[in-house]
């Protein structure tokens, strides 16, 4: 069983920034879609950002475009989500995911069909 591990969540004020990290086992890193999702209290899970691990482009939810950036560090087998200009609507549990199943591009973002998931890291933004 592959276990992803998120870190970097916390509490910030509106307008602040956080950088989430996800440790990804090496063998799942190449040639698969990877991404970040979130679930706010009382809401359905939402795709935040996804990309194909070796080539671009990245796909973002409209609500985070221009504020969030997904990236990776191949040497560290790590996935990142840089979050800037945070607002209270960004408050959620954030999950990283790897190995998209039968999806590509924006469909991976919308469907959330990924094989491996982390347990999540909480992000709380206060006004």
């Amino acid at each position: 069983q592959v276990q992803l591990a998120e870190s970097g969540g916390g509490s910030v004020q509106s307008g602040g920034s956080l950088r989430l990290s996800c440790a990804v086992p090496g063998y799942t890193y190449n040639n698969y879609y990877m991404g970040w999702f979130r679930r706010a209290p009382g809401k359905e899970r939402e795709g935040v950002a996804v990309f194909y691990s070796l080539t671009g482009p990245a796909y973002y939810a409209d609500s985070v475009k221009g504020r969030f950036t997904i990236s990776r560090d191949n040497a560290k087998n790590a996935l990142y989500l840089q979050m800037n200009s945070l607002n209270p609507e960004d408050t959620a549990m954030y999950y990283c995911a790897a190995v998209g199943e039968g999806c590509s591009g924006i469909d991976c973002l919308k469907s959330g069909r990924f094989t491996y998931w982390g347990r999540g890291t909480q992000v709380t933004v206060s006004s």
Side-chain angles (χ1 to χ4, degrees), residues 3-9 20-24 33-51 68 70 79-81 83 90-98 108-109 112 114-123:
Q3 185 65 58
L4 310 183
E6 304 94 339
S7 61
L20 305 184
S21 299
C22 176
V24 183
Y33 275 91
M34 303 173 66
W36 289 94
F37 293 77
R38 67 186 181 186
R39 187 190 299 273
K43 295 186 178 181
E44 295 185 353
R45 186 183 63 196
E46 174 189 23
V48 175
V50 301
F51 69 172
F68 290 12
I70 189 171
L79 181 69
Y80 302 105
L81 184 69
M83 306 186 296
D90 296 316
T91 294
M93 185 72 78
Y94 284 72
Y95 302 89
C96 66
C108 288
L109 183 71
F114 284 76
T115 302
Y116 303 116
W117 294 83
R119 295 185 175 183
T121 185
Q122 178 67 38
V123 172

